[in-house]
Amino acid sequence: MTKRVHIQARINGQEVDFLCEPGQSLLEVLRDELRLTGAKEGCNNGNCGACTVILDGRIVDACLVLAPEIDGHDVVTIEGIAEGERLHPLQQQFLEQAALQCGICTPGLIVAAKALLDRTPDPSEEEIRFWLAGNLCRCTGYDKIIRAVQAAARQMEARI
């Protein structure tokens, strides 16, 4: 039996303590231990981006990060994107632009796009396509997704 590891981290703005196996992935802990099921398990090898989260301001595939690696760090998942009951502009624009179909890729795309807009508030189409290249969508294509990110950027800029 493997000794479980005590982890303290900040997830979606809240201090969290949990025990995990040394070899458990962050995705497994988020979904199975912390009941944050927004990050999806797609390929489980870092190719699809369905499990994208923000770790200390950088996007990572939660399936490739060992849970003990987040000890003392800050993680943002799709559950931490909305402000209370109010959807984040990216979430709202994904709905309004019909930029989702089956929904498996949507949380990862929104989290990745949020990291982009946090860094580059007015990205070009090329920058958006480059930034989201690690997130695969097999249902709706990318044009609606790109339009949703552009519309969210405009909406967020209008708030300033």
Side-chain angles (χ1 to χ4, degrees), residues 1 5 13 16 18 23 27 60-61 63 66 76 79 88 92 94 101 107 113 131 138 140 148 156 159:
M1 176 178 238
V5 180
V16 176
F18 59 90
L27 179 61
V60 297
D61 294 313
C63 68
L66 292 175
V76 177
E79 289 90 348
H88 186 279
Q92 188 62 45
F94 267 67
Q101 286 192 3
W131 191 268
R138 289 180 167 64
T140 190
M156 292 168 69
R159 285 185 183 176

Side-chain angles (χ1 to χ4, degrees), residues 10-127:
R10 187 173 181 87
I11 299 178
N12 298 329
Q14 297 187 351
E15 300 297 326
V16 176
D17 288 272
F18 59 90
L19 296 174
C20 67
E21 301 291 330
Q24 269 188 296
S25 73
L26 174 57
L27 179 61
E28 291 172 320
V29 167
L30 289 172
R31 293 184 58 82
D32 301 338
E33 306 292 333
L34 302 176
R35 305 293 179 218
L36 296 170
T37 59
K40 305 298 184 210
E41 181 178 337
C43 65
N44 210 25
N45 63 18
N47 285 318
C48 74
C51 63
T52 301
V53 298
I54 300 172
L55 175 60
D56 292 337
R58 297 184 357 231
I59 56 172
V60 297
D61 294 313
C63 68
L64 298 180
V65 175
L66 292 175
E69 293 180 279
I70 72 161
D71 190 35
H73 294 275
D74 188 44
V75 176
V76 177
T77 70
I78 189 68
E79 289 90 348
I81 301 291
E83 298 170 12
E85 295 295 317
R86 195 171 96 208
L87 294 177
H88 186 279
L90 280 163
Q91 294 168 311
Q92 188 62 45
Q93 289 303 321
F94 267 67
L95 288 171
E96 291 180 15
Q97 304 291 327
L100 53 127
Q101 286 192 3
C102 82
I104 294 294
C105 69
T106 304
L109 280 161
I110 289 173
V111 170
K114 181 185 182 312
L116 169 63
L117 296 183
D118 287 347
R119 180 180 294 211
T120 307
D122 186 25
S124 68
E125 180 177 335
E126 183 179 14
E127 289 171 311

